[in-house]
Amino acid sequence: MNTLTSTRAVRVLSAALTFSFALPAAAQTPSTDDGASTIEEMFVIGKRRAYQGNFDDLEKPSADQLMTEALLQEAGALSLDDALDLSAAVARQNNFGGLWNAFSVRGLAGDINLPSGFLVNGFNAGRGFAGPRDMAGIEAVEVLKGPRSALFGRGEPGGTVNLITKRPQFETTGDFRATYGRWSQMRFEGDVQTTAGASDELGVRVVGFYEDAESFRETVETNRVGLYPSVTWDVSDSTSVTYEMEYTEQEIPFDRGVAYSESYGFTPRETFVGEPGDGPIETEVFGHQLELQHNFSESWSVLAGLGLRETTFEGNASETNFGGRQTYFLDGQTLSRFFRYRKFDSDYFVARAEVAGEFETGSLRHRLLVGADYDRFELSWFILRYRPGGIPSGTDVNTLDSAAYLLLDVFNPVYGQSPQPMPGPNTNRDEDLKGLGVYIQDQIDITAQLQVRVGLRMDDFEQDLTNLRAVPATTTATSDTRISPQFGVVYLLNEGISLYASYGEGFRQQAGSDYLGDQFEPNITESAEIGLKLDLAQFSERVSGALTFSLFQVDMSNILVNDDRPEAVAVGWFSRDAGKARSRGLEVDADLAFDTGFNLWLSYAYTDAEFTTSNLEADWGVLIEKGDPLINSPEHQVNLQLSQGFEVVGMPAQVGAGLQYTDDRLGFTAFDFYLPSYTTARFFCEVRPSERLSVRFDLDNAFDEEFYTNSYADVWVQPGAPRRYRVTASYSF
């Protein structure tokens, strides 16, 4: 098997594991019967996360979802994609050959040329080219639906995903796991924490993982290592400081998936369409977060933080050609390709401070958040490309120069037949995006039942775009100011039921510039929703959990489309921010736990996402007609997870099952190409022979469904994995 080329990752991980094993052992902390999560414990002792405030779920005018660590483990989620599949409001988007996370929320996605942005503990830490995010070190995942720019600032148009990391809990515990799975998957995880200091005021936690795995895709092998240490210092009863580090290095072959022809169907899902000789793409992230919390009183606190994140992405890739350059459309057997070398770098810095508190004016109770943040995101794009010319009409594929077109027989692939081509200049640019924002949110108790939320945020941001291919290099500087309001109302019918309605506006900066060199206007979103929430624990002692129904509509403008104005066409191929789309639908979410040990998670979404204007598509110049659906947006999507706890010969055990249904959806914007619907099922069982040891078996895609998760075009389609098993042994103390 391949090994990581960088020895730094191995040294760091080895040191962390050595440190972990050296920590003193202690008795295992017993789990609670009610399944309370670590996050809830953090709130109990007065610690909070940014942008959250002090609200029960029934008091929030939004249909948010929380995937706890217990749920993620039951679902067998090892990656962020696995976790987000639990939310029917989230759909997978083009994942750039498996090299990053890309998703839409409520049918709307951001920039297809960048990974989808997500938050880590409230920081915009998902930005950059770090490769797909692993679930190691993640305590819980939040899907915060609807634009949240009134608090978070720039974000994805349909909603925000926030990852909550594992931080020290001031106890001495540990957990080690080893997994073996189909296609030679070997995975090791460690999570150890303890306390230090004269009065145990220092909490230390180290989480790490290593994984080496082959794939159902021939010749494809990934190698990944990650390390996530954290330290919390309780300076006093009212002040704490937390530092967290993120280090991940991955080697992943660039895999564009399968191609589709109306005449010949999909290429075999086992055939890797790249070249093993190109080597893997190497990604690396090195990040830091520092957070200070001080409680002035039981009602007022301040939260301040700094974040720094550096990412790199480098490697070669042979990729499937499009349209008139694609031989598979001619004979259904031979695939033509082109070649690219990429080197991307990003540096992200963020600073923030937020004050939260409660006060009264007469009979009105106010819960206030006031804050400010500054961030700077620097990107460097360097691409070299070799691409063969178009195929003349009537050409016999057998007469084409195999080396020139990088041909591959998809049914009998023989790799390495052609020498690696010499690529020429394609892209060389730097982007520097800076933003300063201030925000305020006040939730006011008008009566014992009625609450009103109002919020406002102002952002001032600048963008410098430097074209390094130009001689001499040219830089275009632009700036903009945006105001993002929010409004919500919650009516508590009783202690267990609430009705809510909300409206919010959001925006998302867009990379690149128009034919004049000016920055594109941001994506603008306007979102409205109404909903009903139930806390079932208020109605029965036998069941706890939440049930939410919501109706929503989100309108998005300034979508990039092809600029067909004569003055733009005269100087080249450019985009402009003129497209509009709308998404509306219904969502039902349930997270229930019964006193019999039975757990149920249900997430259903009906989403109607479509363009509301007619324009030419940005990359191909093909007409998008008003009413056309948005790419990779299923109308119906369901995720169901069930589990039951019991005892077998005196040993605690659990069995469970999961079902994922995804409707058919458009797979190529402005073209009549749809990905078929699919239903996959998974099963798991776990037994604990002793207090410290557990053994688990997972069976994914149990009925061996052939399915496709997302696409960018008909020649870049990501296939899902066939039936797969995993066996995991865990030891805790």
Side-chain angles (χ1 to χ4, degrees):
M1 293 186 176
N2 292 335
T3 57
L4 288 168
T5 56
S6 171
T7 58
R8 178 167 61 152
V10 176
R11 290 199 301 266
V12 172
L13 183 59
S14 299
L17 293 179
T18 300
F19 172 74
S20 301
F21 277 112
L23 295 174
Q28 181 185 12
T29 301
S31 60
T32 59
D33 294 333
D34 60 2
S37 69
T38 304
I39 302 305
E40 292 170 331
E41 293 171 7
M42 289 178 65
F43 284 135
V44 168
I45 62 175
K47 295 180 180 179
R48 67 178 183 86
R49 290 173 284 118
Y51 312 116
Q52 297 297 310
N54 183 25
F55 304 104
D56 294 330
D57 187 63
L58 291 182
E59 298 178 302
K60 298 176 183 178
S62 56
D64 299 339
Q65 292 176 288
L66 175 67
M67 294 97 162
T68 63
E69 184 178 15
L71 175 65
L72 295 173
Q73 289 181 358
E74 287 185 9
L78 298 181
S79 68
L80 179 56
D81 284 342
D82 294 336
L84 295 181
D85 281 344
L86 292 167
S87 173
V90 179
R92 297 196 191 192
Q93 295 292 322
N94 168 47
N95 63 3
F96 201 63
L99 267 299
W100 61 43
N101 299 109
F103 53 85
S104 61
V105 182
R106 290 182 166 174
L108 302 177
D111 191 339
I112 62 173
N113 295 310
L114 286 172
S116 295
F118 57 85
L119 307 176
V120 179
N121 302 319
F123 286 89
N124 276 308
R127 307 180 82 174
F129 311 104
R133 178 78 192 214
D134 196 272
M135 282 293 98
I138 301 301
E139 186 80 52
V141 177
E142 292 179 307
V143 177
L144 309 174
K145 302 174 187 176
R148 298 302 179 91
S149 292
L151 282 183
F152 298 118
R154 301 148 298 281
E156 297 300 318
T160 300
V161 171
N162 184 39
L163 309 185
I164 303 167
T165 60
K166 294 180 177 179
R167 291 179 169 181
Q169 299 302 305
F170 291 87
E171 57 187 12
T172 300
T173 61
D175 181 81
F176 296 94
R177 298 182 183 184
T179 298
Y180 177 80
R182 190 180 179 187
W183 305 301
S184 302
Q185 180 191 24
M186 294 292 294
R187 179 181 173 92
F188 302 95
E189 298 178 61
D191 177 5
V192 179
Q193 59 179 321
T194 191
T195 59
S199 55
D200 291 336
E201 72 275 9
L202 200 66
V204 180
R205 190 166 190 171
V206 179
V207 180
F209 83 98
Y210 171 81
E211 181 173 332
D212 188 292
E214 297 176 5
S215 166
F216 71 98
R217 306 277 290 164
E218 296 171 355
T219 78
V220 171
E221 181 180 338
T222 60
N223 199 296
R224 308 184 299 137
V225 63
L227 178 65
Y228 315 103
S230 57
V231 178
T232 295
W233 177 27
D234 277 350
V235 182
S236 66
D237 290 341
S238 59
T239 305
S240 66
V241 179
T242 298
Y243 166 77
E244 295 183 77
M245 189 188 86
E246 173 194 4
Y247 180 82
T248 310
E249 185 174 332
Q250 306 187 62
E251 289 185 348
I252 305 174
F254 199 105
D255 185 1
R256 284 297 191 185
V258 301
Y260 175 83
S261 161
E262 187 174 351
S263 300
Y264 303 106
F266 289 102
T267 58
R269 61 177 173 175
E270 297 83 8
T271 300
F272 174 55
V273 298
E275 278 290 333
D278 291 340
I281 300 291
E282 297 180 1
T283 69
E284 183 180 271
V285 58
F286 198 35
H288 312 268
Q289 286 189 15
L290 181 65
E291 193 170 87
L292 166 70
Q293 179 174 336
H294 176 71
N295 299 322
F296 298 107
S297 65
E298 292 184 357
S299 300
W300 288 90
S301 66
V302 62
L303 187 65
L306 298 172
L308 179 64
R309 195 172 193 253
E310 302 173 351
T311 72
T312 61
F313 177 115
E314 183 175 11
N316 299 314
S318 296
E319 306 176 49
T320 311
N321 255 321
F322 289 88
R325 294 181 171 89
Q326 185 46 253
T327 53
Y328 182 70
F329 296 151
L330 301 178
D331 69 354
Q333 178 175 351
T334 310
L335 199 75
S336 64
R337 300 167 294 173
F338 67 101
F339 177 83
R340 279 193 279 203
Y341 164 80
R342 296 177 176 88
K343 188 177 190 307
F344 302 156
D345 295 281
S346 75
D347 291 282
Y348 182 69
F349 171 78
V350 61
R352 70 169 184 227
E354 175 184 279
V355 175
E358 298 183 14
F359 65 96
E360 295 181 356
T361 56
S363 62
L364 303 181
R365 176 195 181 199
H366 299 259
R367 280 172 285 182
L368 188 69
L369 291 175
V370 181
D373 54 41
Y374 169 83
D375 66 336
R376 182 171 185 174
F377 188 34
E378 298 174 279
L379 303 93
S380 174
W381 308 73
F382 180 74
I383 305 175
L384 301 175
R385 184 181 69 179
Y386 164 80
R387 184 172 65 173
I391 303 170
S393 178
T395 298
D396 182 349
V397 174
N398 295 320
T399 65
L400 292 174
D401 184 341
S402 177
Y405 283 88
L406 302 179
L407 299 181
L408 182 74
D409 185 334
V410 296
F411 295 103
N412 185 28
V414 179
Y415 300 105
Q417 294 187 91
S418 304
Q420 192 174 86
M422 293 294 294
N426 182 244
T427 301
N428 190 4
R429 73 172 187 264
D430 290 342
E431 294 189 52
D432 186 356
L433 297 92
K434 292 172 282 189
L436 175 65
V438 293
Y439 58 90
I440 183 171
Q441 175 186 283
D442 189 9
Q443 186 146 331
I444 308 167
D445 291 12
I446 306 297
T447 68
Q449 289 78 38
L450 180 64
Q451 300 179 17
V452 174
R453 174 180 292 188
V454 291
L456 191 69
R457 179 182 173 109
M458 183 182 73
D459 281 279
D460 185 46
F461 54 89
E462 301 175 356
Q463 180 189 46
D464 293 339
L465 180 63
T466 302
N467 181 2
L468 298 173
R469 285 192 63 186
V471 182
T474 60
T475 299
T476 302
T478 55
S479 61
D480 199 357
T481 300
R482 291 285 165 178
I483 303 294
S484 302
Q486 66 162 326
F487 176 80
V489 58
V490 177
Y491 187 79
L492 302 172
L493 295 176
N494 55 45
E495 291 184 353
I497 304 177
S498 69
L499 297 170
Y500 74 88
S502 65
Y503 171 83
E505 296 180 11
F507 71 96
R508 186 189 194 281
Q509 286 179 275
Q510 303 194 86
S513 60
D514 63 16
Y515 79 101
L516 294 174
D518 294 331
Q519 176 186 356
F520 293 121
E521 292 290 313
N523 282 140
I524 302 296
T525 49
E526 299 179 22
S527 174
E529 68 177 278
I530 58 174
L532 170 69
K533 295 184 177 183
L534 292 87
D535 180 359
L536 298 184
Q538 301 299 323
F539 303 100
S540 173
E541 295 181 355
R542 302 190 60 185
V543 59
S544 62
L547 182 62
T548 303
F549 302 87
S550 57
L551 294 168
F552 67 88
Q553 176 168 315
V554 186
D555 292 279
M556 182 167 69
S557 57
N558 295 340
I559 299 171
L560 296 185
V561 296
N562 180 249
D563 195 340
D564 60 343
R565 294 174 296 182
E567 59 269 30
V569 173
V571 293
W573 187 280
F574 290 92
S575 297
R576 62 173 176 148
D577 41 46
K580 295 182 179 180
R582 179 187 62 215
S583 175
R584 51 190 176 188
L586 162 71
E587 296 166 344
V588 180
D589 298 313
D591 183 10
L592 308 179
F594 295 81
D595 62 358
T596 59
F598 179 73
N599 299 316
L600 180 148
W601 168 276
L602 171 67
S603 183
Y604 165 77
Y606 165 76
T607 306
D608 179 18
E610 63 182 21
F611 288 96
T612 54
T613 57
S614 296
N615 288 285
L616 298 181
E617 200 273 338
D619 292 329
W620 313 107
V622 180
L623 179 64
I624 301 171
E625 295 184 353
K626 180 180 178 180
D628 281 355
L630 300 186
I631 190 170
N632 292 310
S633 179
E635 278 197 352
H636 299 277
Q637 190 157 251
V638 180
N639 187 280
L640 175 66
Q641 303 289 326
L642 308 171
S643 68
Q644 175 66 57
F646 59 98
E647 283 194 0
V648 55
V649 294
M651 296 183 297
Q654 188 180 35
V655 296
L659 180 143
Q660 171 82 29
Y661 171 77
T662 299
D663 208 352
D664 59 358
R665 56 248 179 258
L666 187 70
F668 196 173
T669 300
F671 288 84
D672 189 23
F673 169 62
Y674 283 78
L675 300 179
S677 63
Y678 65 89
T679 302
T680 58
R682 62 175 308 275
F683 301 96
F684 81 90
C685 60
E686 183 173 358
V687 64
R688 187 177 292 274
S690 69
E691 184 181 9
R692 297 183 178 183
L693 179 66
S694 69
V695 180
R696 176 186 173 102
F697 176 79
D698 287 271
L699 184 65
D700 300 324
N701 192 9
F703 303 113
D704 205 20
E705 174 91 349
E706 185 170 328
F707 66 104
Y708 305 91
T709 59
N710 61 85
S711 68
Y712 173 78
D714 54 0
V715 295
W716 291 353
V717 181
Q718 290 297 320
R723 182 187 297 115
R724 177 178 61 181
Y725 67 85
R726 285 175 286 154
V727 179
T728 301
S730 302
Y731 177 81
S732 58
F733 59 85

